[in-house]
């Protein structure tokens, strides 16, 4: 146990060894070690700052071992920037959501054990590391709140889970992957999404002040730990990022546990003797004030403003380019020709398009009874290009394909690019005409270079999910 000698706290051998392991482990996880991260502070266009830039400046992951995901696009680190350093690449069945995704944490722990042994041999005189312990807790706390801000403000200003697209409303429930269902269930309850964002913002604020840091750490374990479990359950993909906040919260809270136990379980009066670095020198006080001010202005104020700006003018999850004028809607394929031969409707035809959806932005989707590899993520990133904004398409199977398109309104041509990253090189060129407001005719070549001709008729469709949703549910047996 820890003892006091001449009013100086003395740690036992196992306490010092445990701290050395934890110090190296968390140092590797929270301190960016790649030069590219620091270079970004000088190469970022500060006059045209974007939330994507804030994400890149929020730290980087410790990932010297690159685990190749089974499906393109399935790996995701949330708001944590992936490190450019890698010394080994491996493939594993559990790389996406299983134990292999934690391999770099395991490496950091092994390096912590090795480093702690060397540290113990070189340092036999130090009685405690309370000052180093204090600053490590500060580093973990600030790393947590800085990396959390991207997820927080994208919920406060609800863009992380935007409104459901028409293509999603016309996709059978069973055609979504688990992770996609987990994400889109928030898309029609933005009130809850905002509430979750405000809860995360509270965690950030509590971690920011040392007087409330323990409460913030406890809430991080309770709330974001639950998110980590949910992501494992639904194969959500950001389990690693969420688990980091829970792990960091447990580490920050650890030194408060003996006092909590003594007060709550033993029911004894407790005076928590928590050491805080005094910052007695004037330059230390100024540096501390300047650092806290920078973090608050950068990752609270500026981040909130940029996310509000994104929410107001350009939601990063869906394409910014508008689609064909007045084309948004669900269309039945009333006529389909393949190589100039009429193909009647059949739910099991592998070439005939069954239905088509035009979004209000530049995405077109259609259903064909044919299998394909699902783009294995939920569209979580903050992409610049419209073709890479895959929230409405990723994690969707059942034969529904999604294409980004550019419209040449003079020559009446649509240039399509497959939004599924597995088939990112697949491009189509279709001529179009609009004889009436509710009819679109397409013609061109499909992905097999067969000529196709389609007549699309818009269908007025009511979606039960939104019908009378604020009037309550009426049960008529």
């Amino acid at each position: 146990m820890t003892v006091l000698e001449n009013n100086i706290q003395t740690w036992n051998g196992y306490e010092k060894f445990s701290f050395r392991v934890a110090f190296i482990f968390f140092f590797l996880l929270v301190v960016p070690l790649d030069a590219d991260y620091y270079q970004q502070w000088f190469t970022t266009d500060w006059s045209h700052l974007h939330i994507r830039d804030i994400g890149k400046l929020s730290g980087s992951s410790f990932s010297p071992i690159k685990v190749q995901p089974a499906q393109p696009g399935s790996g995701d680190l949330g708001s944590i920037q992936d490190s450019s350093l890698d010394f080994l690449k491996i493939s594993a069945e559990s790389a996406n959501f299983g134990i292999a995704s934690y391999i770099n944490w395991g490496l950091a722990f092994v390096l912590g054990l090795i480093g702690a042994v060397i540290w113990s041999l070189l340092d036999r005189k130090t009685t405690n590391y309370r000052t180093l312990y204090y600053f490590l807790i500060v580093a973990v706390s600030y790393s947590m709140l800085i990396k959390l801000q991207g997820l927080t403000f994208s919920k406060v200003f609800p863009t992380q889970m935007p409104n459901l697209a028409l293509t999603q409303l016309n996709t059978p429930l069973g055609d979504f992957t688990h992770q996609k269902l987990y994400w889109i269930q928030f898309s029609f309850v933005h009130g809850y999404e905002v509430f979750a964002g405000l809860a995360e913002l509270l965690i950030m604020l509590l971690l920011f002040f040392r007087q409330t840091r323990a409460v913030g750490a406890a809430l991080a374990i309770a709330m974001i730990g639950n998110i980590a479990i949910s992501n494992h359950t639904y194969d959500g993909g950001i389990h690693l990022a969420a688990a980091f906040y829970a792990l960091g919260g447990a580490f920050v809270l650890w030194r408060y546990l003996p006092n909590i136990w003594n007060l709550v379980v033993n029911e004894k009066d407790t005076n928590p003797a928590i050491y805080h670095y005094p910052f007695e020198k004037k330059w230390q006080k100024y540096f501390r004030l300047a650092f806290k001010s920078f973090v608050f202005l950068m990752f609270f104020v500026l981040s909130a403003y940029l996310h509000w700006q994104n929410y107001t003018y350009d939601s990063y999850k869906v394409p910014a380019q508008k689609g064909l004028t007045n084309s948004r809607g669900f269309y039945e394929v009333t006529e389909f020709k393949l190589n100039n031969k009429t193909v009647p409707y059949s739910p099991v035809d592998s070439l005939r398009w069954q239905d088509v959806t035009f979004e209000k932005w530049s995405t077109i989707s259609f259903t064909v009874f044919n299998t394909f590899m699902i783009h294995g993520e939920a569209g979580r990133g903050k992409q610049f290009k419209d073709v890479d904004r895959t929230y409405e398409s990723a994690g969707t199977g059942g034969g529904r394909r999604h294409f980004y398109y550019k419209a040449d309104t003079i020559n009446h041509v649509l240039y399509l690019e497959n939004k599924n990253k597995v088939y990112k090189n697949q491009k189509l060129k279709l001529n179009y005409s609009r004889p009436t407001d509710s009819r679109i005719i397409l013609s061109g070549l499909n992905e097999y270079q067969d000529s196709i001709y389609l007549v699309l008729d818009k269908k007025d469709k009511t979606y039960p999910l939104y019908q009378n949703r604020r009037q309550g549910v009426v049960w008529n047996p």
Side-chain angles (χ1 to χ4, degrees):
M1 295 178 63
T2 301
V3 296
L4 291 175
E5 294 182 1
N6 300 323
N7 295 324
I8 299 177
Q9 192 180 43
T10 301
W11 292 6
N12 290 329
Y14 74 87
E15 291 176 319
K16 291 190 287 186
F17 184 83
S18 298
F19 170 77
R20 290 162 181 158
V21 175
F23 181 87
I24 297 172
F25 175 79
F26 280 104
F27 180 88
L28 292 173
L29 260 58
V30 305
V31 178
L33 301 177
D34 50 324
D36 289 347
Y37 165 75
Y38 298 98
Q39 184 180 3
Q40 287 176 145
W41 284 92
F42 301 96
T43 58
T44 296
D45 185 358
W46 294 93
S47 62
H48 298 88
L49 205 61
H50 196 275
I51 55 171
R52 300 172 180 87
D53 300 314
I54 296 292
K56 294 176 181 178
L57 299 175
S58 299
S60 66
S61 65
F62 174 72
S63 52
I65 301 177
K66 301 295 184 185
V67 185
Q68 303 296 323
Q71 295 174 292
S74 57
D76 185 51
L77 296 167
S79 62
I80 304 175
Q81 181 73 11
D82 194 11
S83 173
S84 60
L85 293 175
D86 64 89
F87 302 99
L88 180 65
K89 293 183 179 180
I90 64 173
S91 298
E93 185 176 351
S94 60
N96 293 340
F97 318 111
I99 191 64
S101 61
Y102 289 92
I103 190 169
N104 286 295
W105 284 21
L107 175 62
F109 181 71
V110 171
L111 293 176
L113 288 173
I114 297 173
V117 172
I118 298 173
W119 191 346
S120 299
L121 294 175
L122 297 177
D123 183 8
R124 299 175 182 272
K125 296 181 179 181
T126 302
T127 58
N128 67 72
Y129 296 101
R130 65 175 187 171
T131 299
L132 206 56
Y133 188 16
Y134 169 80
F135 282 106
L136 181 60
I137 287 176
V138 171
V140 173
S141 300
Y142 274 72
S143 177
M144 289 169 60
L145 71 89
I146 288 172
K147 293 175 180 178
L148 186 59
Q149 52 80 30
L151 298 174
T152 295
F153 290 115
S154 62
K155 293 187 183 75
V156 172
F157 305 103
T159 51
Q160 187 176 7
M161 296 88 168
N163 289 324
L164 289 172
L166 281 180
T167 181
Q168 294 167 340
L169 290 169
N170 289 287
T171 300
L173 193 66
D175 290 342
F176 293 117
T177 62
H178 292 169
Q179 59 175 324
K180 191 64 174 184
L181 283 173
Y182 173 66
W183 278 70
I184 65 175
Q185 64 183 316
F186 294 97
S187 295
F188 52 91
V189 283
H190 287 309
Y192 180 77
E193 182 179 355
V194 173
F195 168 78
L198 292 175
E200 291 177 359
L201 178 58
L202 177 62
I203 293 174
M204 290 176 59
L205 287 169
L206 292 172
L207 289 172
F208 186 70
F209 301 101
R210 66 184 185 183
Q211 294 87 347
T212 57
R213 196 159 287 153
V215 181
L219 288 177
I221 297 171
M223 179 183 175
I224 309 182
N226 179 63
I227 294 175
I229 295 172
S230 299
N231 271 268
H232 275 291
T233 303
Y234 288 93
D235 294 344
I238 60 169
H239 60 288
L240 197 62
F244 168 77
Y245 305 125
L247 178 67
F251 176 74
V252 172
L253 189 62
W254 182 262
R255 66 173 180 165
Y256 297 90
L257 293 182
N259 294 306
I260 296 173
W261 180 272
N262 198 44
L263 176 66
V264 176
V265 179
N266 297 331
E267 299 182 351
K268 295 182 179 180
D269 293 338
T270 302
N271 182 21
I274 303 299
Y275 173 78
H276 296 292
Y277 188 76
F279 295 96
E280 295 174 341
K281 297 180 180 180
K282 184 177 292 187
W283 71 267
Q284 293 175 341
K285 294 179 180 179
Y286 287 148
F287 178 82
R288 176 174 178 268
L289 179 61
F291 178 74
K292 289 179 72 72
S293 299
F294 169 77
V295 171
F296 185 80
L297 292 174
M298 180 78 175
F299 297 106
F300 283 88
V301 178
L302 182 59
S303 179
Y305 169 74
L306 292 175
H307 277 84
W308 168 82
Q309 189 180 54
N310 174 76
Y311 170 70
T312 305
Y313 300 108
D314 179 19
S315 177
Y316 59 76
K317 285 296 183 68
V318 297
Q321 179 65 42
K322 293 182 179 180
L324 284 174
T325 304
N326 297 324
S327 65
R328 181 177 185 265
F330 176 78
Y331 294 79
E332 290 183 333
V333 181
T334 54
E335 184 179 354
F336 184 90
K337 293 182 180 180
L338 181 69
N339 294 325
N340 297 319
K341 294 182 179 179
T342 300
V343 180
Y345 171 79
S346 170
V348 293
D349 193 298
S350 62
L351 295 176
R352 190 190 194 278
W353 295 18
Q354 298 178 10
D355 56 69
V356 176
T357 298
F358 279 87
E359 304 292 345
K360 63 181 179 181
W361 53 81
S362 54
T363 296
I364 179 176
S365 65
F366 59 88
T367 302
V368 177
F369 186 76
N370 205 340
T371 58
F372 62 94
M373 291 185 65
I374 298 176
H375 176 193
E377 58 106 47
R380 292 176 295 268
K382 299 179 176 66
Q383 295 86 0
F384 278 101
K385 296 180 179 180
D386 282 352
V387 69
D388 296 325
R389 300 183 183 188
T390 59
Y391 184 76
E392 84 275 37
S393 59
T396 305
R400 184 171 292 275
R401 285 91 189 288
H402 300 79
F403 285 77
Y404 163 77
Y405 69 86
K406 294 181 181 179
D408 181 349
T409 56
I410 297 177
N411 297 309
H412 298 278
V413 178
L414 300 180
Y415 298 93
L416 281 62
E417 297 181 54
N418 200 321
K419 301 191 73 171
N420 188 324
K421 293 181 182 179
V422 182
Y423 307 98
K424 61 182 180 181
N425 295 322
Q426 190 176 93
K427 300 180 180 181
L428 304 179
K429 177 182 176 182
L430 299 177
N431 299 302
Y432 75 92
S433 62
R434 306 183 68 176
T436 67
D437 292 339
S438 61
R439 171 169 286 190
I440 299 176
I441 298 176
L442 301 177
S443 62
L445 300 177
N446 64 10
E447 63 269 34
Y448 307 109
Q449 300 304 304
D450 294 318
S451 67
I452 55 175
Y453 173 86
L454 305 92
V455 177
L456 313 178
D457 288 308
K458 183 182 290 188
K459 179 181 179 181
D460 292 331
K461 192 171 182 181
T462 301
Y463 299 99
L465 184 65
Y466 292 107
Q467 186 180 21
N468 301 326
R469 63 176 298 185
R470 298 195 180 279
Q471 300 179 17
V473 178
V474 178
W475 173 251
N476 293 315

